[in-house]
């Protein structure tokens, strides 16, 4: 038995990263997307704080019409991340993690979601 060194090849990282800023009224909201093999992570928040105080997860189910979702971290009363994760999971047909770390009113939330969808549609290379 000889000392033969085998060169191990490391697989390339399949993660894709995309960062952008969304302007909602006078608020600038940072968005970070990490696309992994079978899921996507979306962080939405204040760029000056870089906090992750909220996290939800959603995934499609063959037994349910709507994706199943759960709050992993953060106040249960705030359903922004859970509802966004469900809608994105349904649209993208994959598991979605959403960390929603910004205070936004109910009138501005649909604007933010529309701008997120527009960003996804204008950058299909992310997915």
């Amino acid at each position: 038995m000889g000392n033969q060194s085998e060169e191990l090849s490391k697989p390339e990282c399949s993660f894709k990263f995309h960062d952008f800023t969304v302007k909602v009224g006078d608020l600038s909201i940072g968005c970070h997307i990490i696309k992994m093999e079978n899921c996507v992570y979306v962080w939405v928040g204040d760029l000056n704080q870089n906090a992750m105080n909220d996290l939800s997860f959603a995934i499609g189910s063959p037994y349910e019409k709507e994706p199943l979702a759960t709050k992993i971290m953060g106040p249960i009363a705030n359903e922004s991340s859970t509802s966004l994760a469900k809608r994105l999971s349904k649209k993208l047909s994959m598991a979605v993690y959403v960390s929603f770390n910004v205070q936004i009113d109910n009138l501005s939330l649909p604007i933010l979601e529309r701008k997120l969808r527009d960003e996804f549609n204008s950058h299909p290379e992310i997915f």
Side-chain angles (χ1 to χ4, degrees):
M1 214 175 199
N3 280 340
Q4 294 179 349
S5 63
E6 292 183 25
E7 198 172 309
L8 297 176
S9 63
K10 294 180 183 177
E12 279 191 41
C13 178
S14 62
F15 287 21
K16 295 179 183 174
F17 301 90
H18 182 69
D19 300 333
F20 59 99
T21 303
V22 173
K23 197 86 163 137
V24 178
D26 59 347
L27 225 86
S28 288
I29 300 170
C31 301
H32 303 290
I33 299 170
I34 301 173
K35 168 63 175 80
M36 295 166 267
E37 191 171 332
N38 294 319
C39 66
V40 66
Y41 170 82
V42 178
W43 180 89
V44 177
D46 184 349
L47 290 172
N48 297 324
Q49 292 182 355
N50 288 329
M52 190 173 103
N53 301 319
D54 179 82
L55 184 64
S56 289
F57 175 73
I59 190 168
S61 166
Y63 307 109
E64 300 288 331
K65 184 177 177 182
E66 293 293 315
L68 303 172
T70 188
K71 177 77 94 164
I72 297 172
M73 184 173 68
I76 296 172
N78 183 354
E79 295 183 6
S80 300
S81 63
T82 308
S83 60
L84 181 58
K86 283 176 79 169
R87 285 193 289 280
L88 288 174
S89 180
K90 188 173 185 177
K91 179 186 179 351
L92 301 171
S93 299
M94 68 175 62
V96 175
Y97 293 89
V98 172
S99 181
F100 201 85
N101 304 287
V102 66
Q103 295 297 323
I104 193 167
D105 60 44
N106 289 339
L107 295 175
S108 300
L109 189 58
I111 296 168
L112 175 63
E113 288 185 30
R114 186 173 56 249
K115 291 189 178 193
L116 278 170
R117 275 195 312 271
D118 291 347
E119 191 73 21
F120 289 155
N121 292 335
S122 64
H123 294 281
E125 71 275 3
I126 300 170
F127 303 100

